[in-house]
Amino acid sequence: MAKEISHRHLVYDYFKETRSLCAFSLCPDISDRKEYEGLPAHLKAMLIEDGKRANKEPWSVILLSDYLEFSKNGNRVRFEELYFSRRRKLCSLVMAELAENKGTFIADILDGIYLILSESSWCLPAHNSHIRDAKQQEMPDVLHPIIDLFAAETGALLAFAEYLLRPVFREKSSDISEVIESALKERIFTPYETEHFWWMGDGKQPMCNWTPWIIQNVLICALTRPEGYFQEKELTDYLERSAISLDFFLDEYGDDGCCNEGAQYYSHAGLCLFGALYLMSDALKGTGFEEVFKEPLVKNIASYIVRMNVTDNIYINFADCAAICPRRTSREFLFGKLCGDEVLSSFAAADFRKADDGDRILTGEINLFYHVLQALSYEEMMDYPESEMLCEDSFFESTGLMVSRDETYICAAKAGDNADSHNHNDVGSFTIYKKGKPLIIDLGVGTYTRETFSDRRYEIWTMQSQFHNVPTFIKNDTEVKIASLGFDSAGDYYNDGIILQKDGKEFGAKGVLAALEGDSKTGASSLSMDIAGAYKSDEVRRYFRTITHKKGSGVEVLDEYEGSATALLTLMTYEKPEVNVAASGETCIRIGNLGEAVLSGGEVVEIQTYPITDERLKISWKHEVYRVLIKMSDGRISLKIS
């Protein structure tokens, strides 16, 4: 029976009931041939072949000048590809050796390990600061190592590789394990024990995916050390500190388990929470700690990803999330099993089976722990039955997000505020999918640069409210051409005659009301709100929006506005829109061959085309996107989208 405890002390209250620790047992080392020889023959063949492929690729060369590039021009992609390619290759080589066990890959594995050990810092240049949101240090911090996301990932990779191959390394030389442990002590254990990094939590500043992501990897480093490396009291302290940090992270969640970072970040937030709790449960097995997975909040966090799915690997996306996400893996599968969530486990297994071979063996993944979990769960996921249960409509009160479904349409609408993690200024925006295809879209975010996480974030066009499905306002005493509303507009977006939404918790929706009614064929689900507060302008007194999904027929958007500025409604589409005005005066916006929006109370004043050139945006959008600008006529506008 799950305990009735507050979120703040949820993990800690389970931890404090424990009495003793157990040795790491989630994955066996290479000497357990029964486990690894028992892998499906085709899986072992794929892993060995992938190891041979990786072996042909040269190890990347990383120079100091590569590290310094970020400080010079803000580009983080080129260095990170050099950095991540080493780690991907090492994972492939270790998995191939686990499958084959002939020593074929050991020399190359050691090359990779010692290359990574020789790096002056494991912290990414974009994260190179001890203080949250402070200007990054230009040079790698060798004397005071920073534990960022990927320093922790790197520590976990080396620690887990050493654990898996320890029997082989010991036959060659005890120095191999000792030099890895020396690096872990210097770059992970000592900083973790002696410095308070912001992601550890203090109850004052908001947490994000960094907390469970790093905690999980620090635990991998600590719990895989050989017997005697840590005293039991030292390991207990690690687990206690982990529990406290995870509770600070859980403070960010409402009871509904909604991830305000979006579906793409579920893999780093909810799934890393799973990873941390899974590791803790293993260390504390037999103590009742595993009952934490039965907690309603943890179960809701687990099931969130199913409720955000559109079809296949397409997801409802807000903020920095892409519309197309990676395939589900053993982590979701195991999370569902531990939570008793049959729908999640079935969903994860079914999606895993749709993946190509490379995705099934995680060729792009740098966390070796995930690779081994995937291999050990592979056969069960291949044979796992599909669930016939379907998602019901959802309203996540904590973020103001509604998701409504029928056999043809999926409509998502967002109230909330503009202080989400990875926020875009999008209060009141909505997306619509028809027959699994994008009808009204959210762009997501382009490739991360220095500006993405700086005070210039909202100069990036994809972050601005004018490129979401909400109104933009033009002050009536300012002459502003419609065509100047674009990502290359000059000047201050908030004061150059254009009124956009602003970022921050105080800029949000008021009077939010969600009504979820009827089944997937009848009735309606709706979300209504006043979004004027997201603009905080004297010219925008009230903007009341109601988004109603009428089951079986489509979506209606009704806006009512009071203010002195001119309201321009944006609709972002993926298919090319065309406008037809009937003799009756009714305007129909055809959206490719997919659907239409019938407009009353306004006129289409411009359709703009935006080519998609950014590599990250290309993941979701293979061709140009479009923005329809609609001028409101008399303070009331209606769109019937079908």
Side-chain angles (χ1 to χ4, degrees):
M1 188 78 177
K3 301 178 184 180
E4 294 293 325
I5 53 180
S6 66
H7 296 168
R8 179 64 176 275
H9 302 290
L10 191 151
V11 181
Y12 181 77
D13 278 5
Y14 277 95
F15 165 78
K16 73 181 183 182
E17 299 298 323
T18 62
R19 293 291 181 270
S20 60
L21 303 183
C22 300
F24 180 80
S25 65
L26 292 178
C27 308
D29 66 31
I30 194 170
S31 66
D32 188 342
R33 297 318 301 163
K34 179 180 178 182
E35 192 76 59
Y36 293 113
E37 293 296 341
L39 296 176
H42 69 280
L43 172 58
K44 287 191 290 183
M46 282 195 295
L47 292 173
I48 294 167
E49 188 60 32
D50 186 57
K52 292 177 180 177
R53 174 203 58 78
N55 213 12
K56 294 177 183 177
E57 298 176 355
W59 292 104
S60 62
V61 176
I62 303 178
L63 304 176
L64 177 61
S65 56
D66 298 319
Y67 194 95
L68 298 179
E69 184 176 0
F70 175 78
S71 65
K72 291 179 179 178
N73 59 29
N75 186 310
R76 54 187 289 177
V77 174
R78 204 178 68 81
F79 170 84
E80 289 179 11
E81 179 51 33
L82 296 171
Y83 176 100
F84 290 131
S85 69
R86 288 182 172 183
R87 288 145 176 83
R88 290 194 298 266
K89 178 172 177 174
L90 181 57
C91 284
S92 292
L93 294 173
V94 173
M95 293 306 296
E97 186 60 37
L98 284 177
E100 188 181 65
N101 193 37
K102 293 181 180 179
T104 306
F105 302 95
I106 293 298
D108 298 288
I109 287 169
L110 289 173
D111 280 345
I113 287 174
Y114 276 75
L115 262 179
I116 293 171
L117 288 171
S118 71
E119 294 172 2
S120 57
S121 174
W122 294 339
C123 174
L124 293 187
H127 301 158
N128 192 25
S129 172
H130 287 267
I131 301 172
R132 186 177 195 174
D133 297 330
K135 180 176 172 51
Q136 295 85 1
Q137 299 168 212
E138 187 173 322
M139 298 289 289
D141 196 332
V142 177
L143 297 180
H144 302 95
I146 296 166
I147 305 179
D148 77 322
L149 294 174
F150 295 103
E153 283 272 19
T154 300
L157 169 56
L158 295 183
F160 205 59
E162 189 279 330
Y163 161 77
L164 291 169
L165 300 176
R166 189 176 297 155
V168 178
F169 290 166
R170 282 178 175 169
E171 289 181 5
K172 294 182 72 70
S173 171
S174 62
D175 290 349
I176 299 170
S177 292
E178 289 174 4
V179 73
I180 293 172
E181 288 172 352
S182 175
L184 292 175
K185 180 175 177 59
E186 176 186 341
R187 302 192 186 197
I188 302 295
F189 298 141
T190 297
Y192 184 76
E193 293 167 7
T194 60
E195 182 171 350
H196 184 90
F197 294 95
W198 67 264
W199 47 261
M200 294 175 172
D202 58 9
K204 298 176 183 176
Q205 56 184 321
M207 297 294 94
C208 64
N209 62 73
W210 278 52
T211 301
W213 196 349
I214 296 176
I215 291 296
Q216 167 198 258
N217 287 314
V218 169
L219 286 173
I220 290 172
C221 293
L223 296 175
T224 57
R225 294 309 82 221
E227 185 177 357
Y229 183 90
F230 285 113
Q231 298 297 315
E232 185 167 316
K233 173 65 168 61
E234 292 176 302
L235 271 184
T236 301
D237 287 345
Y238 268 71
L239 293 168
E240 181 174 11
R241 293 182 66 182
S242 297
I244 292 169
S245 290
L246 293 175
D247 280 334
F248 283 131
F249 168 72
L250 290 174
D251 282 344
E252 302 303 310
Y253 278 79
D255 292 343
D256 52 37
C258 184
C259 177
N260 74 354
E261 298 176 277
Q264 194 171 4
Y265 283 88
Y266 169 87
S267 296
H268 308 311
L271 285 189
C272 286
L273 171 70
F274 153 74
L277 295 178
Y278 193 37
L279 289 157
M280 293 180 72
S281 295
D282 181 60
L284 301 167
K285 57 177 159 288
T287 65
F289 183 86
E290 66 279 0
E291 289 297 306
V292 72
F293 287 104
K294 301 299 190 294
E295 284 291 332
L297 174 58
V298 175
K299 293 178 72 172
N300 284 340
I301 289 173
S303 68
Y304 165 80
I305 194 64
V306 179
R307 293 181 280 172
M308 295 296 283
N309 183 247
V310 175
T311 185
D312 200 41
N313 60 339
I314 301 172
Y315 289 82
I316 293 159
N317 68 308
F318 289 98
D320 275 359
C321 292
I324 295 178
C325 292
R327 294 290 181 184
R328 309 300 13 135
T329 68
S330 62
R331 294 198 289 158
E332 293 92 335
F333 178 71
L334 294 170
F335 203 2
K337 292 188 73 174
L338 286 166
C339 290
D341 187 338
E342 180 64 24
V343 173
L344 174 58
S345 291
S346 177
F347 170 75
D351 195 54
F352 159 82
R353 291 193 291 270
K354 295 175 187 174
D356 60 28
D357 288 347
D359 285 341
R360 285 185 189 173
I361 60 171
L362 304 178
T363 53
E365 178 56 63
I366 68 167
N367 193 301
L368 186 56
F369 180 54
Y370 303 167
H371 280 265
V372 178
L373 290 181
Q374 187 90 335
L376 296 179
S377 302
Y378 189 98
E379 189 169 24
E380 186 179 4
M381 287 194 292
M382 287 297 288
D383 297 333
Y384 207 76
E386 290 201 35
S387 172
E388 296 182 358
M389 295 182 66
L390 300 175
C391 281
E392 298 179 345
D393 291 0
S394 301
F395 177 62
F396 299 97
E397 186 175 2
S398 63
T399 56
L401 175 63
M402 179 191 77
V403 181
S404 178
R405 306 167 184 271
D406 64 24
E407 293 179 349
T408 304
Y409 301 95
I410 295 179
C411 172
K414 180 182 179 295
D417 58 49
N418 283 328
D420 294 335
S421 183
H422 296 272
N423 179 71
H424 289 199
N425 289 341
D426 59 358
V427 171
S429 193
F430 62 94
T431 60
I432 302 172
Y433 283 84
K434 182 178 181 181
K435 298 179 180 178
K437 296 180 179 180
L439 188 62
I440 306 295
I441 67 170
D442 185 293
L443 279 170
V445 71
T447 301
Y448 283 167
T449 65
R450 178 169 53 195
E451 285 71 30
T452 308
F453 299 102
S454 73
D455 57 6
R456 298 186 61 188
R457 178 178 176 86
Y458 294 97
E459 293 179 23
I460 300 171
W461 67 291
T462 57
M463 311 292 190
Q464 300 168 8
S465 59
Q466 64 173 320
F467 288 96
H468 292 81
N469 303 304
V470 295
T472 296
F473 299 94
I474 297 180
K475 297 180 181 180
N476 287 338
D477 60 353
T478 304
E479 289 188 9
V480 178
K481 293 182 179 179
I482 300 295
S484 73
L485 297 175
F487 61 85
D488 59 349
S489 296
D492 187 331
Y493 288 105
Y494 299 135
N495 297 308
D496 194 22
I498 303 171
I499 304 170
L500 302 180
Q501 293 188 15
K502 302 178 178 65
D503 61 292
K505 194 166 186 62
E506 67 271 33
F507 302 105
K510 305 292 184 184
V512 179
L513 180 64
L516 307 183
E517 300 176 4
D519 59 26
S520 62
K521 295 182 180 179
T522 61
S525 290
S526 66
L527 182 67
S528 60
M529 71 206 95
D530 183 357
I531 64 173
Y535 299 83
K536 284 284 178 74
S537 169
D538 292 340
E539 285 90 346
V540 183
R541 294 188 295 275
R542 178 179 179 272
Y543 199 99
F544 197 79
R545 163 166 282 186
T546 300
I547 300 161
T548 304
H549 176 197
K550 296 183 176 180
K551 300 301 178 71
S553 62
V555 177
E556 182 173 339
V557 180
L558 179 62
D559 290 354
E560 297 176 302
Y561 167 52
E562 296 174 9
S564 58
T566 300
L568 290 170
L569 174 62
T570 290
L571 285 183
M572 299 296 300
T573 72
Y574 186 46
E575 303 302 331
K576 188 174 182 178
E578 294 182 359
V579 178
N580 295 299
V581 180
S584 62
E586 188 176 69
T587 299
C588 178
I589 306 166
R590 291 289 308 169
I591 304 172
N593 294 319
L594 184 59
E596 64 180 23
V598 177
L599 164 68
S600 61
E603 62 173 323
V604 176
V605 292
E606 190 166 353
I607 295 175
Q608 299 173 343
T609 303
Y610 292 90
I612 298 298
T613 58
D614 180 87
E615 292 303 316
R616 183 163 178 162
L617 288 176
K618 285 181 181 179
I619 294 172
S620 299
W621 316 116
K622 307 304 181 187
H623 60 69
E624 63 272 10
V625 299
Y626 304 91
R627 179 166 65 154
V628 183
L629 286 170
I630 303 169
K631 184 178 180 181
M632 182 181 284
S633 302
D634 56 4
R636 190 175 189 275
I637 198 167
S638 169
L639 282 165
K640 295 180 180 178
I641 304 169
S642 61

